[in-house]
Amino acid sequence: KELGWGDPCRIKGWPGHDGFEGTLPKKYFEEISANISKFGIHALIIIGGFEAFMGGLELVEGRARFEELCIPLCIIPATVSNNVPGSDFSIGADTALNTITNTCDLIKQSAAGTKRRVFIIETMGGFCGYLATMAGLAAGADAAYIFEEAFTSRDLQANVDHLIEKMKTTVKRGLVLRNERCNENYTTDFIYNLYSEEGKGVFDCRKNVLGHMQQGGSPTPFDRNFGTKMGAKAVAWITGKIRECSRHGRIFANTADSACLLGMRKRSLVFQPIAELRQQTDFEHRIPKEQWWLRLRPILKILAKYNIELDTSETAHLEHLTRKVLVPEATL
C-alpha cells in the first residue's frame, strides 16, 4: 500500500506480526520477484526483529537465482526482545523495558502495607534475557533468571535462602524476574511453587505473567527519537546505494555491502553487511552470540546485597573520558 505524507503512521488492519508476518520469503521468491518488477521497487527497507534479519539473509541468498532481488536492502531492528545481531538496541525495547519496570514498581507499591511477600514476575524476550536483566537492575530485583546464564536447583535454593535472611531486615519484600524461555523445566509455576514451599512460615509468594502488555503503550522518547534517526539514516543510505548501483536506467546490486543492517554500536549508527553478521548469530535460540548487557549481571547481585566482588579489569577506563580533548585555557 502506497503511503502519503499525510497518512497516519498506524494503518488500521495492518498485521502486528514481526518482519515477514511469520512467513520467511524463501518459499515465495517467484512472487516477490514478480512484485518487485510489477511495482518498480528499487530498494527495500525492512523494519522488524529476528524474522526480518533472517528474511534479509534469505533474500540475499536468492539473488543468485532471481535478478530482481539484486536491489539495495537495509534492515532496521525493531523488536521488544532486543535480540537482533549487529545492534545494541532495537526500536521498541526501551518502551517494553519501561513498561516492565513501571509494572514492577506498581506491584511493589501494592505490597507497601504487606510484609514478607515475594513477587515472581515473568517477562517476554524469547531466549534473550535483556528485558529481565535490565528491568531487574532498574526495579531492584533479588534475582533475574535468564537463558544465557544457566542456573540449577542449587541456585534457586540459594536465592530462597537469601530472601529468608532478607526478611529479617527492614526490607521485608522480594522481587524475582524470570525470562519466559530461560529454562523449559524451571517454569514460572515451578519457581513460584518452590519459593512458596521453601519460604513457608517466613514469606508468601505472588506471581505475575506480564504477557503482551509489554508490547503495547506509547513509545518512550528514546524509541521515538531512535526510530526517527534510524529511518532518516536508512533512507539516506539507500538513496546513495540506488545511485551507486544504477546502470543505464536499471539497478543491479549484488555485493555484500548492498545488503546491510543498520545497528547502534556503542554510540554510533553503523551499516553492517548482513552476511558478516551470520557468524555472530545463534540461530537455534535466535540471539546474538555476544551481548553487551551480560556484563552488567554481577551488579544485580551486588544491589541485592549478595556477597560477591565485581570484576572491573576490562572496563576500568571510561571510554568517553579517554576521547576527551583538553583545550588550553588561553584559547577559551
Side-chain angles (χ1 to χ4, degrees):
K1 180 174 179 178
E2 186 173 343
L3 301 180
W5 286 110
D7 291 328
C9 294
R10 294 185 180 183
I11 308 299
K12 187 178 180 183
W14 274 25
H17 298 293
D18 190 9
F20 290 90
E21 300 183 32
T23 304
L24 292 169
K26 201 168 190 176
K27 297 178 183 177
Y28 304 99
F29 278 160
E30 290 184 9
E31 293 92 332
I32 292 169
S33 299
N35 278 327
I36 287 174
S37 295
K38 179 182 176 182
F39 294 105
I41 296 171
H42 295 161
L44 281 176
I45 294 178
I46 305 173
I47 306 169
F50 199 86
E51 239 88 30
F53 171 66
M54 288 181 67
L57 284 172
E58 289 189 1
L59 288 173
V60 170
E61 289 171 8
R63 285 175 168 180
R65 290 170 50 214
F66 296 91
E67 194 173 293
E68 294 85 355
L69 299 178
C70 295
I71 56 176
L73 170 70
C74 179
I75 297 170
I76 296 177
T79 168
V80 299
S81 301
N82 198 31
N83 64 332
V84 180
S87 190
D88 293 344
F89 294 101
S90 298
I91 298 170
D94 186 67
T95 299
L97 185 55
N98 273 262
T99 301
I100 296 168
T101 304
N102 289 335
T103 305
C104 289
D105 288 346
L106 289 171
I107 288 171
K108 285 165 70 178
Q109 285 173 21
S110 72
T114 309
K115 293 182 178 180
R116 297 182 178 179
R117 180 163 288 173
V118 175
F119 294 94
I120 316 290
I121 298 176
E122 180 185 300
T123 67
M124 291 183 73
F127 284 103
C128 181
Y130 172 80
L131 291 176
T133 296
M134 301 305 283
L137 273 169
D142 295 280
Y145 301 119
I146 64 171
F147 167 77
E148 293 92 339
E149 193 173 281
F151 58 96
T152 65
S153 59
R154 289 183 293 278
D155 296 315
L156 293 173
Q157 185 63 55
N159 294 146
V160 172
D161 293 341
H162 181 77
L163 281 167
I164 289 172
E165 289 301 310
K166 183 181 179 181
M167 295 303 161
K168 297 175 183 176
T169 68
T170 54
V171 183
K172 299 185 186 299
R173 64 185 179 203
L175 177 68
V176 174
L177 298 184
R178 178 191 174 273
N179 176 40
E180 60 182 349
R181 303 194 72 175
C182 65
N183 189 296
E184 61 180 350
N185 294 315
Y186 298 141
T187 63
T188 301
D189 285 337
F190 178 92
I191 293 174
Y192 166 73
N193 291 334
L194 174 71
Y195 274 64
S196 297
E197 183 64 30
E198 295 297 317
K200 194 176 287 184
V202 181
F203 60 77
D204 63 345
C205 285
R206 296 290 186 273
K207 65 177 176 181
N208 286 270
V209 178
L210 299 186
H212 284 76
M213 65 178 287
Q214 296 158 76
Q215 293 185 329
S218 298
T220 59
F222 175 86
D223 270 337
R224 297 180 195 205
N225 294 333
F226 187 36
T228 301
K229 291 174 189 173
M230 296 279 266
K233 195 150 180 118
V235 169
W237 180 85
I238 215 118
T239 304
K241 282 292 173 187
I242 289 173
R243 290 198 194 97
E244 185 184 309
C245 301
S246 182
R247 296 286 185 276
H248 309 294
R250 289 183 69 249
I251 293 166
F252 186 81
N254 201 23
T255 56
D257 66 355
S258 65
C260 287
L261 181 138
L262 174 57
M264 179 182 276
R265 294 289 203 179
K266 295 186 177 175
R267 286 186 302 280
S268 301
L269 293 178
V270 292
F271 291 92
Q272 305 143 97
I274 55 176
E276 294 178 6
L277 295 175
R278 184 189 289 274
Q279 305 302 319
Q280 303 173 25
T281 307
D282 175 355
F283 285 96
E284 181 185 352
H285 300 105
R286 298 159 62 88
I287 54 175
K289 289 179 180 176
E290 291 187 13
Q291 302 182 91
W292 64 270
W293 50 267
L294 282 170
R295 294 193 295 272
L296 302 177
R297 294 278 300 174
I299 301 175
L300 262 170
K301 289 196 170 183
I302 290 173
L303 293 177
K305 297 188 177 178
Y306 281 83
N307 187 24
I308 67 164
E309 291 184 5
L310 179 64
D311 180 16
T312 58
S313 57
E314 291 183 10
T315 54
H317 70 281
L318 296 175
E319 185 184 355
H320 66 284
L321 289 181
T322 59
R323 293 181 179 178
K324 190 172 180 180
V325 179
L326 293 175
V327 181
E329 290 186 16
T331 63
L332 293 177

